[in-house]
Amino acid sequence: MTEIELIIDLHANSDRQGPGSKEDTLKALEHINLPTNLPWKVADIGCGSGGQTITLAQNSPAEITAIDLFPIFLNELNDKSRKLGLTENIVPLQASMEDLPFKAAELDLIWSEGAIYNIGFSEGIKLWKEYLKIGGYLAVSEITWLTPSRPVEIEEFWKEEYPEITTASTKISQLEENGYSIQGYFYLPPKSWLDGYYGPMAGRFQAFLDRNNHSDIAQKVVRDSEDEIALYNKYQDYYSYGFYIARREG
Ligand SMILES: C[S@@+](CC[C@H](N)C(=O)[O-])C[C@H]1O[C@@H](n2cnc3c(N)ncnc32)[C@H](O)[C@@H]1O
């Protein structure tokens, strides 16, 4: 298996593929001021196995197209929604977030937890805006500095991983400059990283190594993940995922 296939294998059969929690999704949902007596046309972009998709479907009148690049995650989501009787509300779709099959001004809400970084925040907010109705909402979580300065080690790690990392004030300005008004912002607490993501992932390391015969690449995937967890434990006061809820203005 290639490294990317192994990364997908490590993240399969889990509730979430990134930091987050049901509480965070519900908190962001509180800022969506759309009429609740009508169905909402929603895209959940980079949905993974759909932790947040299920919460959205259960707590709003959303009719969701759940989009991901990888069928393994969409199949897991489909199994979950079948068990919960949500297949009418959640339609999985394999597509790239760079090339979405929506018409202009078709959507009431675009949701994307921990995924917009794949095309970059500044590119994503521009590209996706066209699919939103005027007055429609964008809810995205995105890696964000929590302080104006930070230790060199963590600064360099994230600059290498994702050069678009910046502070919330800069992200909010980017949204405003691109025709959105900010409706809410908060950042994910450590529990959403540790209990929601890193803890369960670390619990899968041994089985992942065993089923991949402890190959060199599988060991590298685990080492990289352990390094990322160690950095989070050391520097969690300096960064988190910010959750940005914004409305498309006319
Ligand atoms: C960090 S995970 C977040 C998944 C989920 N939203 C969550 O919070 O648990 C990012 C997701 O984006 C998906 N992804 C990566 N590149 C993509 C692309 N170009 N188009 C659509 N999805 C993509 C990955 O397969 C993965 O499921």
Side-chain angles (χ1 to χ4, degrees), residues 7-18 47-52 72-73 76-77 80 195-204 211:
I7 291 170
I8 291 167
D9 183 50
L10 174 62
H11 289 279
N13 296 309
S14 61
D15 289 342
R16 288 195 164 255
Q17 286 71 44
C47 61
S49 64
Q52 71 291 317
I72 186 168
F73 297 137
E76 283 179 36
L77 170 56
K80 285 185 218 167
D195 300 351
Y197 182 48
Y198 285 150
M201 177 166 65
R204 296 192 301 273
R211 73 177 169 268

PDB file of all heavy atoms in Angstrom, residues 7-18 47-52 72-73 76-77 80 195-204 211:
ATOM      1  N   ILE A   7      -2.691   5.830   5.246  1.00  0.00           N
ATOM      2  CA  ILE A   7      -3.318   6.876   6.085  1.00  0.00           C
ATOM      3  C   ILE A   7      -4.837   6.672   6.092  1.00  0.00           C
ATOM      4  O   ILE A   7      -5.489   6.747   7.140  1.00  0.00           O
ATOM      5  CB  ILE A   7      -2.920   8.288   5.589  1.00  0.00           C
ATOM      6  CG1 ILE A   7      -1.427   8.516   5.875  1.00  0.00           C
ATOM      7  CG2 ILE A   7      -3.769   9.368   6.251  1.00  0.00           C
ATOM      8  CD1 ILE A   7      -0.833   9.760   5.244  1.00  0.00           C
ATOM      9  N   ILE A   8      -5.396   6.361   4.924  1.00  0.00           N
ATOM     10  CA  ILE A   8      -6.849   6.112   4.851  1.00  0.00           C
ATOM     11  C   ILE A   8      -7.196   4.881   5.694  1.00  0.00           C
ATOM     12  O   ILE A   8      -8.162   4.889   6.454  1.00  0.00           O
ATOM     13  CB  ILE A   8      -7.284   5.936   3.383  1.00  0.00           C
ATOM     14  CG1 ILE A   8      -7.155   7.279   2.651  1.00  0.00           C
ATOM     15  CG2 ILE A   8      -8.723   5.418   3.287  1.00  0.00           C
ATOM     16  CD1 ILE A   8      -7.256   7.180   1.157  1.00  0.00           C
ATOM     17  N   ASP A   9      -6.369   3.856   5.605  1.00  0.00           N
ATOM     18  CA  ASP A   9      -6.594   2.630   6.387  1.00  0.00           C
ATOM     19  C   ASP A   9      -6.580   2.926   7.891  1.00  0.00           C
ATOM     20  O   ASP A   9      -7.421   2.438   8.653  1.00  0.00           O
ATOM     21  CB  ASP A   9      -5.515   1.596   6.028  1.00  0.00           C
ATOM     22  CG  ASP A   9      -5.727   0.280   6.753  1.00  0.00           C
ATOM     23  OD1 ASP A   9      -6.846  -0.230   6.715  1.00  0.00           O
ATOM     24  OD2 ASP A   9      -4.771  -0.208   7.383  1.00  0.00           O
ATOM     25  N   LEU A  10      -5.641   3.784   8.314  1.00  0.00           N
ATOM     26  CA  LEU A  10      -5.566   4.129   9.744  1.00  0.00           C
ATOM     27  C   LEU A  10      -6.837   4.855  10.202  1.00  0.00           C
ATOM     28  O   LEU A  10      -7.286   4.691  11.334  1.00  0.00           O
ATOM     29  CB  LEU A  10      -4.319   5.007  10.007  1.00  0.00           C
ATOM     30  CG  LEU A  10      -4.164   5.571  11.419  1.00  0.00           C
ATOM     31  CD1 LEU A  10      -4.030   4.450  12.458  1.00  0.00           C
ATOM     32  CD2 LEU A  10      -2.944   6.492  11.509  1.00  0.00           C
ATOM     33  N   HIS A  11      -7.397   5.664   9.296  1.00  0.00           N
ATOM     34  CA  HIS A  11      -8.552   6.494   9.689  1.00  0.00           C
ATOM     35  C   HIS A  11      -9.905   5.839   9.416  1.00  0.00           C
ATOM     36  O   HIS A  11     -10.933   6.393   9.806  1.00  0.00           O
ATOM     37  CB  HIS A  11      -8.469   7.852   8.982  1.00  0.00           C
ATOM     38  CG  HIS A  11      -7.366   8.699   9.525  1.00  0.00           C
ATOM     39  ND1 HIS A  11      -7.500   9.422  10.685  1.00  0.00           N
ATOM     40  CD2 HIS A  11      -6.098   8.898   9.114  1.00  0.00           C
ATOM     41  CE1 HIS A  11      -6.366  10.043  10.955  1.00  0.00           C
ATOM     42  NE2 HIS A  11      -5.501   9.735  10.008  1.00  0.00           N
ATOM     43  N   ALA A  12      -9.873   4.669   8.750  1.00  0.00           N
ATOM     44  CA  ALA A  12     -11.150   3.985   8.489  1.00  0.00           C
ATOM     45  C   ALA A  12     -11.702   3.419   9.795  1.00  0.00           C
ATOM     46  O   ALA A  12     -10.977   3.246  10.773  1.00  0.00           O
ATOM     47  CB  ALA A  12     -10.924   2.869   7.475  1.00  0.00           C
ATOM     48  N   ASN A  13     -13.012   3.168   9.785  1.00  0.00           N
ATOM     49  CA  ASN A  13     -13.689   2.604  10.965  1.00  0.00           C
ATOM     50  C   ASN A  13     -13.486   3.446  12.226  1.00  0.00           C
ATOM     51  O   ASN A  13     -13.159   2.943  13.291  1.00  0.00           O
ATOM     52  CB  ASN A  13     -13.215   1.169  11.232  1.00  0.00           C
ATOM     53  CG  ASN A  13     -13.593   0.274  10.090  1.00  0.00           C
ATOM     54  OD1 ASN A  13     -14.742   0.256   9.669  1.00  0.00           O
ATOM     55  ND2 ASN A  13     -12.630  -0.429   9.539  1.00  0.00           N
ATOM     56  N   SER A  14     -13.614   4.749  12.047  1.00  0.00           N
ATOM     57  CA  SER A  14     -13.558   5.629  13.221  1.00  0.00           C
ATOM     58  C   SER A  14     -14.700   6.637  13.092  1.00  0.00           C
ATOM     59  O   SER A  14     -15.218   6.863  11.998  1.00  0.00           O
ATOM     60  CB  SER A  14     -12.217   6.357  13.279  1.00  0.00           C
ATOM     61  OG  SER A  14     -12.050   7.156  12.141  1.00  0.00           O
ATOM     62  N   ASP A  15     -15.082   7.238  14.220  1.00  0.00           N
ATOM     63  CA  ASP A  15     -16.199   8.184  14.188  1.00  0.00           C
ATOM     64  C   ASP A  15     -15.826   9.459  13.459  1.00  0.00           C
ATOM     65  O   ASP A  15     -16.645  10.072  12.795  1.00  0.00           O
ATOM     66  CB  ASP A  15     -16.634   8.547  15.622  1.00  0.00           C
ATOM     67  CG  ASP A  15     -17.331   7.379  16.279  1.00  0.00           C
ATOM     68  OD1 ASP A  15     -17.769   6.469  15.542  1.00  0.00           O
ATOM     69  OD2 ASP A  15     -17.409   7.362  17.522  1.00  0.00           O
ATOM     70  N   ARG A  16     -14.571   9.876  13.628  1.00  0.00           N
ATOM     71  CA  ARG A  16     -14.123  11.141  13.046  1.00  0.00           C
ATOM     72  C   ARG A  16     -12.732  10.986  12.460  1.00  0.00           C
ATOM     73  O   ARG A  16     -11.918  10.224  12.997  1.00  0.00           O
ATOM     74  CB  ARG A  16     -14.080  12.237  14.109  1.00  0.00           C
ATOM     75  CG  ARG A  16     -15.453  12.688  14.541  1.00  0.00           C
ATOM     76  CD  ARG A  16     -15.400  13.991  15.304  1.00  0.00           C
ATOM     77  NE  ARG A  16     -16.727  14.555  15.369  1.00  0.00           N
ATOM     78  CZ  ARG A  16     -17.145  15.582  14.657  1.00  0.00           C
ATOM     79  NH1 ARG A  16     -16.338  16.216  13.858  1.00  0.00           N
ATOM     80  NH2 ARG A  16     -18.385  16.019  14.763  1.00  0.00           N
ATOM     81  N   GLN A  17     -12.455  11.744  11.426  1.00  0.00           N
ATOM     82  CA  GLN A  17     -11.115  11.725  10.831  1.00  0.00           C
ATOM     83  C   GLN A  17     -10.349  13.004  11.178  1.00  0.00           C
ATOM     84  O   GLN A  17      -9.277  13.270  10.629  1.00  0.00           O
ATOM     85  CB  GLN A  17     -11.216  11.584   9.306  1.00  0.00           C
ATOM     86  CG  GLN A  17     -11.597  10.199   8.842  1.00  0.00           C
ATOM     87  CD  GLN A  17     -13.037   9.845   9.143  1.00  0.00           C
ATOM     88  OE1 GLN A  17     -13.934  10.661   8.940  1.00  0.00           O
ATOM     89  NE2 GLN A  17     -13.266   8.649   9.652  1.00  0.00           N
ATOM     90  N   GLY A  18     -10.911  13.823  12.039  1.00  0.00           N
ATOM     91  CA  GLY A  18     -10.228  15.045  12.461  1.00  0.00           C
ATOM     92  C   GLY A  18     -10.792  15.475  13.805  1.00  0.00           C
ATOM     93  O   GLY A  18     -11.780  14.909  14.284  1.00  0.00           O
ATOM     94  N   CYS A  47     -16.644  15.141   4.147  1.00  0.00           N
ATOM     95  CA  CYS A  47     -17.456  14.637   5.280  1.00  0.00           C
ATOM     96  C   CYS A  47     -16.791  13.487   6.014  1.00  0.00           C
ATOM     97  O   CYS A  47     -17.148  13.194   7.156  1.00  0.00           O
ATOM     98  CB  CYS A  47     -18.837  14.222   4.788  1.00  0.00           C
ATOM     99  SG  CYS A  47     -18.780  12.883   3.573  1.00  0.00           S
ATOM    100  N   GLY A  48     -15.813  12.803   5.384  1.00  0.00           N
ATOM    101  CA  GLY A  48     -15.236  11.619   6.018  1.00  0.00           C
ATOM    102  C   GLY A  48     -16.324  10.590   6.275  1.00  0.00           C
ATOM    103  O   GLY A  48     -17.268  10.446   5.476  1.00  0.00           O
ATOM    104  N   SER A  49     -16.223   9.901   7.419  1.00  0.00           N
ATOM    105  CA  SER A  49     -17.247   8.886   7.716  1.00  0.00           C
ATOM    106  C   SER A  49     -18.487   9.513   8.362  1.00  0.00           C
ATOM    107  O   SER A  49     -19.370   8.778   8.815  1.00  0.00           O
ATOM    108  CB  SER A  49     -16.661   7.782   8.596  1.00  0.00           C
ATOM    109  OG  SER A  49     -16.289   8.323   9.842  1.00  0.00           O
ATOM    110  N   GLY A  50     -18.521  10.848   8.427  1.00  0.00           N
ATOM    111  CA  GLY A  50     -19.792  11.534   8.664  1.00  0.00           C
ATOM    112  C   GLY A  50     -20.198  11.787  10.107  1.00  0.00           C
ATOM    113  O   GLY A  50     -21.384  11.951  10.382  1.00  0.00           O
ATOM    114  N   GLY A  51     -19.224  11.874  11.041  1.00  0.00           N
ATOM    115  CA  GLY A  51     -19.584  12.208  12.427  1.00  0.00           C
ATOM    116  C   GLY A  51     -20.492  13.422  12.480  1.00  0.00           C
ATOM    117  O   GLY A  51     -21.592  13.387  13.062  1.00  0.00           O
ATOM    118  N   GLN A  52     -20.062  14.508  11.835  1.00  0.00           N
ATOM    119  CA  GLN A  52     -20.860  15.746  11.879  1.00  0.00           C
ATOM    120  C   GLN A  52     -22.095  15.666  10.967  1.00  0.00           C
ATOM    121  O   GLN A  52     -23.116  16.303  11.254  1.00  0.00           O
ATOM    122  CB  GLN A  52     -20.010  16.977  11.518  1.00  0.00           C
ATOM    123  CG  GLN A  52     -19.583  17.101  10.051  1.00  0.00           C
ATOM    124  CD  GLN A  52     -18.580  16.063   9.613  1.00  0.00           C
ATOM    125  OE1 GLN A  52     -17.645  15.777  10.347  1.00  0.00           O
ATOM    126  NE2 GLN A  52     -18.762  15.480   8.450  1.00  0.00           N
ATOM    127  N   ILE A  72     -14.381   4.690   0.763  1.00  0.00           N
ATOM    128  CA  ILE A  72     -14.408   3.914   2.018  1.00  0.00           C
ATOM    129  C   ILE A  72     -15.124   4.696   3.125  1.00  0.00           C
ATOM    130  O   ILE A  72     -15.916   4.144   3.891  1.00  0.00           O
ATOM    131  CB  ILE A  72     -12.978   3.484   2.439  1.00  0.00           C
ATOM    132  CG1 ILE A  72     -13.027   2.556   3.638  1.00  0.00           C
ATOM    133  CG2 ILE A  72     -12.065   4.647   2.722  1.00  0.00           C
ATOM    134  CD1 ILE A  72     -11.712   1.853   3.951  1.00  0.00           C
ATOM    135  N   PHE A  73     -14.882   6.025   3.184  1.00  0.00           N
ATOM    136  CA  PHE A  73     -15.543   6.841   4.206  1.00  0.00           C
ATOM    137  C   PHE A  73     -17.031   6.988   3.888  1.00  0.00           C
ATOM    138  O   PHE A  73     -17.879   6.940   4.774  1.00  0.00           O
ATOM    139  CB  PHE A  73     -14.882   8.220   4.300  1.00  0.00           C
ATOM    140  CG  PHE A  73     -13.439   8.187   4.740  1.00  0.00           C
ATOM    141  CD1 PHE A  73     -12.475   8.972   4.117  1.00  0.00           C
ATOM    142  CD2 PHE A  73     -13.037   7.368   5.788  1.00  0.00           C
ATOM    143  CE1 PHE A  73     -11.150   8.940   4.522  1.00  0.00           C
ATOM    144  CE2 PHE A  73     -11.712   7.329   6.207  1.00  0.00           C
ATOM    145  CZ  PHE A  73     -10.762   8.124   5.568  1.00  0.00           C
ATOM    146  N   GLU A  76     -18.922   3.947   4.887  1.00  0.00           N
ATOM    147  CA  GLU A  76     -19.148   3.894   6.345  1.00  0.00           C
ATOM    148  C   GLU A  76     -20.313   4.807   6.723  1.00  0.00           C
ATOM    149  O   GLU A  76     -21.164   4.443   7.539  1.00  0.00           O
ATOM    150  CB  GLU A  76     -17.899   4.370   7.100  1.00  0.00           C
ATOM    151  CG  GLU A  76     -16.792   3.347   7.144  1.00  0.00           C
ATOM    152  CD  GLU A  76     -15.561   3.875   7.898  1.00  0.00           C
ATOM    153  OE1 GLU A  76     -15.721   4.622   8.884  1.00  0.00           O
ATOM    154  OE2 GLU A  76     -14.442   3.555   7.479  1.00  0.00           O
ATOM    155  N   LEU A  77     -20.319   6.000   6.132  1.00  0.00           N
ATOM    156  CA  LEU A  77     -21.411   6.939   6.429  1.00  0.00           C
ATOM    157  C   LEU A  77     -22.748   6.345   5.999  1.00  0.00           C
ATOM    158  O   LEU A  77     -23.747   6.421   6.732  1.00  0.00           O
ATOM    159  CB  LEU A  77     -21.150   8.286   5.713  1.00  0.00           C
ATOM    160  CG  LEU A  77     -22.297   9.286   5.717  1.00  0.00           C
ATOM    161  CD1 LEU A  77     -22.775   9.611   7.130  1.00  0.00           C
ATOM    162  CD2 LEU A  77     -21.887  10.587   5.021  1.00  0.00           C
ATOM    163  N   LYS A  80     -23.963   3.866   8.493  1.00  0.00           N
ATOM    164  CA  LYS A  80     -24.487   4.513   9.712  1.00  0.00           C
ATOM    165  C   LYS A  80     -25.860   5.110   9.447  1.00  0.00           C
ATOM    166  O   LYS A  80     -26.777   4.970  10.252  1.00  0.00           O
ATOM    167  CB  LYS A  80     -23.555   5.654  10.162  1.00  0.00           C
ATOM    168  CG  LYS A  80     -22.289   5.211  10.820  1.00  0.00           C
ATOM    169  CD  LYS A  80     -21.524   6.446  11.315  1.00  0.00           C
ATOM    170  CE  LYS A  80     -20.040   6.288  11.128  1.00  0.00           C
ATOM    171  NZ  LYS A  80     -19.274   7.510  11.280  1.00  0.00           N
ATOM    172  N   ASP A 195     -10.136  13.450  23.084  1.00  0.00           N
ATOM    173  CA  ASP A 195     -11.157  12.396  23.172  1.00  0.00           C
ATOM    174  C   ASP A 195     -11.803  12.142  21.809  1.00  0.00           C
ATOM    175  O   ASP A 195     -12.215  11.032  21.503  1.00  0.00           O
ATOM    176  CB  ASP A 195     -12.268  12.786  24.166  1.00  0.00           C
ATOM    177  CG  ASP A 195     -11.713  13.005  25.560  1.00  0.00           C
ATOM    178  OD1 ASP A 195     -10.527  12.695  25.769  1.00  0.00           O
ATOM    179  OD2 ASP A 195     -12.458  13.496  26.422  1.00  0.00           O
ATOM    180  N   GLY A 196     -11.918  13.227  21.007  1.00  0.00           N
ATOM    181  CA  GLY A 196     -12.637  13.099  19.738  1.00  0.00           C
ATOM    182  C   GLY A 196     -11.774  12.537  18.612  1.00  0.00           C
ATOM    183  O   GLY A 196     -12.293  12.014  17.628  1.00  0.00           O
ATOM    184  N   TYR A 197     -10.441  12.650  18.737  1.00  0.00           N
ATOM    185  CA  TYR A 197      -9.599  12.318  17.579  1.00  0.00           C
ATOM    186  C   TYR A 197      -8.325  11.550  17.952  1.00  0.00           C
ATOM    187  O   TYR A 197      -8.180  10.378  17.615  1.00  0.00           O
ATOM    188  CB  TYR A 197      -9.260  13.615  16.851  1.00  0.00           C
ATOM    189  CG  TYR A 197      -8.433  13.454  15.612  1.00  0.00           C
ATOM    190  CD1 TYR A 197      -8.750  12.501  14.635  1.00  0.00           C
ATOM    191  CD2 TYR A 197      -7.315  14.258  15.395  1.00  0.00           C
ATOM    192  CE1 TYR A 197      -7.969  12.366  13.493  1.00  0.00           C
ATOM    193  CE2 TYR A 197      -6.542  14.129  14.245  1.00  0.00           C
ATOM    194  CZ  TYR A 197      -6.862  13.182  13.310  1.00  0.00           C
ATOM    195  OH  TYR A 197      -6.107  13.043  12.183  1.00  0.00           O
ATOM    196  N   TYR A 198      -7.407  12.201  18.684  1.00  0.00           N
ATOM    197  CA  TYR A 198      -6.102  11.567  18.909  1.00  0.00           C
ATOM    198  C   TYR A 198      -6.206  10.301  19.770  1.00  0.00           C
ATOM    199  O   TYR A 198      -5.520   9.311  19.498  1.00  0.00           O
ATOM    200  CB  TYR A 198      -5.127  12.560  19.544  1.00  0.00           C
ATOM    201  CG  TYR A 198      -4.568  13.600  18.600  1.00  0.00           C
ATOM    202  CD1 TYR A 198      -4.215  14.872  19.072  1.00  0.00           C
ATOM    203  CD2 TYR A 198      -4.347  13.322  17.254  1.00  0.00           C
ATOM    204  CE1 TYR A 198      -3.674  15.828  18.222  1.00  0.00           C
ATOM    205  CE2 TYR A 198      -3.806  14.280  16.397  1.00  0.00           C
ATOM    206  CZ  TYR A 198      -3.470  15.538  16.886  1.00  0.00           C
ATOM    207  OH  TYR A 198      -2.933  16.473  16.054  1.00  0.00           O
ATOM    208  N   GLY A 199      -7.027  10.356  20.813  1.00  0.00           N
ATOM    209  CA  GLY A 199      -7.155   9.189  21.703  1.00  0.00           C
ATOM    210  C   GLY A 199      -7.619   7.957  20.931  1.00  0.00           C
ATOM    211  O   GLY A 199      -6.938   6.913  20.924  1.00  0.00           O
ATOM    212  N   PRO A 200      -8.787   8.044  20.250  1.00  0.00           N
ATOM    213  CA  PRO A 200      -9.246   6.885  19.469  1.00  0.00           C
ATOM    214  C   PRO A 200      -8.233   6.459  18.397  1.00  0.00           C
ATOM    215  O   PRO A 200      -8.031   5.270  18.164  1.00  0.00           O
ATOM    216  CB  PRO A 200     -10.548   7.381  18.814  1.00  0.00           C
ATOM    217  CG  PRO A 200     -11.007   8.509  19.684  1.00  0.00           C
ATOM    218  CD  PRO A 200      -9.779   9.133  20.266  1.00  0.00           C
ATOM    219  N   MET A 201      -7.540   7.451  17.766  1.00  0.00           N
ATOM    220  CA  MET A 201      -6.563   7.094  16.726  1.00  0.00           C
ATOM    221  C   MET A 201      -5.407   6.287  17.341  1.00  0.00           C
ATOM    222  O   MET A 201      -5.020   5.237  16.810  1.00  0.00           O
ATOM    223  CB  MET A 201      -6.022   8.353  16.044  1.00  0.00           C
ATOM    224  CG  MET A 201      -4.971   8.058  15.013  1.00  0.00           C
ATOM    225  SD  MET A 201      -4.597   9.432  13.938  1.00  0.00           S
ATOM    226  CE  MET A 201      -3.899  10.618  15.003  1.00  0.00           C
ATOM    227  N   ALA A 202      -4.880   6.756  18.474  1.00  0.00           N
ATOM    228  CA  ALA A 202      -3.769   6.039  19.119  1.00  0.00           C
ATOM    229  C   ALA A 202      -4.208   4.615  19.504  1.00  0.00           C
ATOM    230  O   ALA A 202      -3.413   3.676  19.415  1.00  0.00           O
ATOM    231  CB  ALA A 202      -3.290   6.807  20.353  1.00  0.00           C
ATOM    232  N   GLY A 203      -5.476   4.460  19.860  1.00  0.00           N
ATOM    233  CA  GLY A 203      -5.998   3.132  20.212  1.00  0.00           C
ATOM    234  C   GLY A 203      -6.038   2.181  19.012  1.00  0.00           C
ATOM    235  O   GLY A 203      -6.149   0.967  19.185  1.00  0.00           O
ATOM    236  N   ARG A 204      -5.950   2.730  17.780  1.00  0.00           N
ATOM    237  CA  ARG A 204      -5.973   1.872  16.577  1.00  0.00           C
ATOM    238  C   ARG A 204      -4.564   1.547  16.050  1.00  0.00           C
ATOM    239  O   ARG A 204      -4.431   0.769  15.110  1.00  0.00           O
ATOM    240  CB  ARG A 204      -6.793   2.559  15.462  1.00  0.00           C
ATOM    241  CG  ARG A 204      -8.256   2.754  15.772  1.00  0.00           C
ATOM    242  CD  ARG A 204      -9.047   3.163  14.523  1.00  0.00           C
ATOM    243  NE  ARG A 204      -8.560   4.389  13.918  1.00  0.00           N
ATOM    244  CZ  ARG A 204      -8.935   5.630  14.256  1.00  0.00           C
ATOM    245  NH1 ARG A 204      -9.820   5.806  15.216  1.00  0.00           N
ATOM    246  NH2 ARG A 204      -8.440   6.692  13.649  1.00  0.00           N
ATOM    247  N   ARG A 211      -2.100  -5.415  10.927  1.00  0.00           N
ATOM    248  CA  ARG A 211      -2.703  -5.821   9.653  1.00  0.00           C
ATOM    249  C   ARG A 211      -1.862  -5.369   8.456  1.00  0.00           C
ATOM    250  O   ARG A 211      -2.046  -5.865   7.362  1.00  0.00           O
ATOM    251  CB  ARG A 211      -4.166  -5.388   9.545  1.00  0.00           C
ATOM    252  CG  ARG A 211      -4.443  -3.934   9.319  1.00  0.00           C
ATOM    253  CD  ARG A 211      -5.939  -3.657   9.150  1.00  0.00           C
ATOM    254  NE  ARG A 211      -6.178  -2.227   9.197  1.00  0.00           N
ATOM    255  CZ  ARG A 211      -6.469  -1.535  10.288  1.00  0.00           C
ATOM    256  NH1 ARG A 211      -6.587  -2.136  11.438  1.00  0.00           N
ATOM    257  NH2 ARG A 211      -6.642  -0.220  10.225  1.00  0.00           N
TER     258      ARG A 211
END
